[in-house]
Amino acid sequence: MKCPYCGKELSKVEALLASFEKTYFCPYCWHDITDYRKQEQMSLAKSKISKKGQTDERESKSLRNMRKAV
Amino acid sequence: MKEKVNPYEICVKQFNKVADKLELEPGIREFLIKPKRQLIVSVPVEMDDGSYKVFDGYRVQHNIARGPAKGGIRYHQNVTLDEVKALATWMTWKCAVVNVPYGGAKGGITCDPTKMSVREIERLTRRYTAEISIIIGPEKDIPAPDINTNAQTMSWIMDTYSVLKGYSVPGVVTGKPLFIGGSLGRDAATGRGVMYVIEEAAKHLGIQLQDAEVVVQGFGNVGSNAAILLEEKGCKTIGICDVYGAVYNKEGIDIKKAVDFVRSTGKIVGLPETEPINPTEFLTLECDILVPAALEGQITKDNADRIKAKIVAEGANGPTTPEADEILFDKGIFVIPDILANAGGVTVSYFEWVQDLMAHYWTEEEVNNKLEKIMKDAFKQVYDSATAQKSSMRDAAYMLAVARVAEATRIRGIYP
């Protein structure tokens, strides 16, 4: 994942925080990239819908396990 | 034979797994796992018979990158430096996962308080406080109750520290009585937090809480409060276990009667309308929700494959060994990890500290509402992360927590 403002590649730690913190600022240029993330997630969700068959096949062990638990 | 468990080894194993996933550099990895400070103190105490005894005391501050260190103090004959180090490390991750601005710490004294008088315990506490006073304080490290310590113990710590300072310092400890700066809602906070995350997990897994069967291991503060609050949500507790034995009633145990019974007799065995069962088989009872709220290392590779619960909410610290954790994951059991499930206590401790610093106190409703928001937000972040990372809830919680601490450390940089 890259910062949309400064283009710097975020480390795995930064990318994780950028994905799940309520608000996240790029640690290199200090721009608020929260809205950008929301847009990314929306476009990701749309692409998942269009490739539903493929994503089902790749369904994670954890999701299967969560379902098994019910 | 029961697996021998060193909590610090579990703690390092868990951290390394997460550090690998986060691709942490070796330097940061070492910085994050090593405790910042480890203080070992000798605590001499004059016993009631006039003799002297010297106890070993510990205070470990694991990490303070995100704020002052925070963690309980336990009195137990099995307290070791390794145990305290592990518990301090878990506190760092716990505070980070619910995003309260604290680092992690823990303390303890190797002693058997059941064989000591109240006055001896008071002298032990006051001397221990004096010994660790060089590293604690409202802006440095804020102790709290843990095993065999309570609001009275915290009052003695607060008083001793205040005497040493020359003025009252309520913010030096949390879990105090209301009269001296405690918070409403603190007593039931950990159990309440357990209930909130179970509620969220059940919602996500499509389990109805009405008539859901609950088994609670450990009927102290956490287990009993979780059971009371789950009963209010419609759950029925079918099994309760404490250090003396276990009881069972398929139709559901009246929790208020159980609490009264334990208060008057000191144990759960003998509770009317229940049958005693073998404590070694207790964790493997058929149920929807299992709440291990006793000591660490209870779910091991020896019993994990026989656990039948759909949700395991870890009210205790470290009740599941890493090997057992993998077995539960493979069985499809939804585990709410300790650093998330029992974080209600530290969250309301944080509220107490904030109120002490402001000298302005909230109603119980305000405290509970703020706790609910923090616990449910944290659950959602961990659940979303687990789903996105295709990992267990424990790995997701650790990844989020370690990432927050790693990022705080990186941004602050290393002096000089």
Side-chain angles (χ1 to χ4, degrees), chain B residues 126-400:
Chain B
R126 287 185 182 278
R127 182 58 189 250
Y128 171 71
T129 305
E131 296 293 343
I132 65 164
S133 64
I134 49 175
I135 62 166
I136 63 169
E139 281 142 6
K140 296 199 273 185
D141 178 358
I142 306 115
D146 198 88
I147 294 169
N148 292 327
T149 55
N150 53 28
Q152 177 61 78
T153 325
M154 296 306 112
S155 307
W156 290 327
I157 295 177
M158 182 258 189
D159 182 67
T160 306
Y161 186 85
S162 299
V163 167
L164 293 173
K165 285 284 166 189
Y167 53 90
S168 286
V169 190
V172 68
V173 282
T174 59
K176 299 179 296 295
L178 285 175
F179 292 114
I180 54 169
S183 175
L184 289 164
R186 175 63 184 83
D187 259 7
T190 310
R192 183 172 287 277
V194 169
M195 180 272 286
Y196 287 139
V197 292
I198 289 173
E199 202 179 10
E200 287 303 285
K203 203 187 290 172
H204 281 89
L205 297 172
I207 296 171
Q208 294 293 322
L209 282 188
Q210 189 64 42
D211 292 328
E213 293 181 335
V214 181
V215 165
V216 181
Q217 185 204 31
F219 206 57
N221 176 290
V222 181
S224 61
N225 279 306
I228 291 169
L229 293 161
L230 285 168
E231 190 180 55
E232 285 174 13
K233 294 283 170 189
C235 297
K236 65 176 181 185
T237 298
I238 58 167
I240 299 174
C241 171
D242 66 13
V243 69
Y244 303 105
V247 296
Y248 177 76
N249 180 351
K250 180 73 184 157
E251 301 311 312
I253 297 166
D254 185 323
I255 299 300
K256 287 191 177 66
K257 279 185 190 167
V259 170
D260 289 342
F261 185 80
V262 171
R263 209 168 276 158
S264 60
T265 67
K267 55 188 173 184
I268 194 73
V269 179
L271 176 69
E273 296 164 27
T274 63
E275 53 180 291
I277 55 162
N278 186 349
T280 55
E281 294 306 311
F282 182 78
L283 292 173
T284 62
L285 280 171
E286 189 92 45
C287 63
D288 296 301
I289 299 158
L290 171 64
V291 183
L295 290 171
E296 54 265 20
Q298 299 298 303
I299 304 177
T300 66
K301 65 179 186 320
D302 301 324
N303 60 10
D305 63 337
R306 286 178 287 124
I307 286 182
K308 300 176 194 80
K310 292 169 187 158
I311 296 172
V312 174
E314 297 183 336
N317 288 319
T320 311
T321 64
E323 294 81 5
D325 205 28
E326 281 177 22
I327 297 170
L328 296 183
F329 185 69
D330 287 340
K331 275 171 68 81
I333 294 171
F334 188 88
V335 178
I336 311 172
D338 49 4
I339 59 166
L340 172 63
N342 67 37
V346 75
T347 304
V348 176
S349 270
Y350 164 62
F351 296 160
E352 179 177 335
W353 176 75
V354 168
Q355 293 171 83
D356 287 336
L357 297 183
M358 292 191 303
H360 173 73
Y361 293 88
W362 302 330
T363 64
E364 188 164 1
E365 195 187 0
E366 282 175 290
V367 169
N368 290 345
N369 288 343
K370 287 177 202 292
L371 173 64
E372 181 174 7
K373 176 150 178 44
I374 285 191
M375 293 304 293
K376 291 189 171 177
D377 282 354
F379 181 93
K380 187 179 180 323
Q381 282 181 319
V382 173
Y383 183 83
D384 287 350
S385 173
T387 309
Q389 312 279 329
K390 304 175 171 68
S391 68
S392 69
M393 286 288 282
R394 189 184 313 281
D395 285 355
Y398 270 88
M399 282 178 76
L400 199 56

Side-chain angles (χ1 to χ4, degrees), chain A residues 12-14 16-17 20-22 24 27 30 58 60-63 65-66 68-70, chain B residues 21-22 24 205 310 329-330 332 373 377 381 384-385 389-391 399 403-404 407 410:
Chain A
K12 200 134 189 194
V13 166
E14 291 151 1
L16 178 79
L17 296 175
F20 297 102
E21 290 291 14
K22 279 187 179 166
Y24 192 74
W30 300 108
R58 288 200 305 267
S60 70
K61 191 178 178 186
S62 100
L63 284 174
N65 285 339
M66 285 176 192
K68 258 201 275 171
V70 183
Chain B
K21 285 190 177 182
L22 288 172
L24 289 183
L205 297 172
K310 292 169 187 158
F329 185 69
D330 287 340
K373 176 150 178 44
D377 282 354
Q381 282 181 319
D384 287 350
S385 173
Q389 312 279 329
K390 304 175 171 68
S391 68
M399 282 178 76
R404 281 175 177 155
E407 187 67 346
R410 196 195 64 76

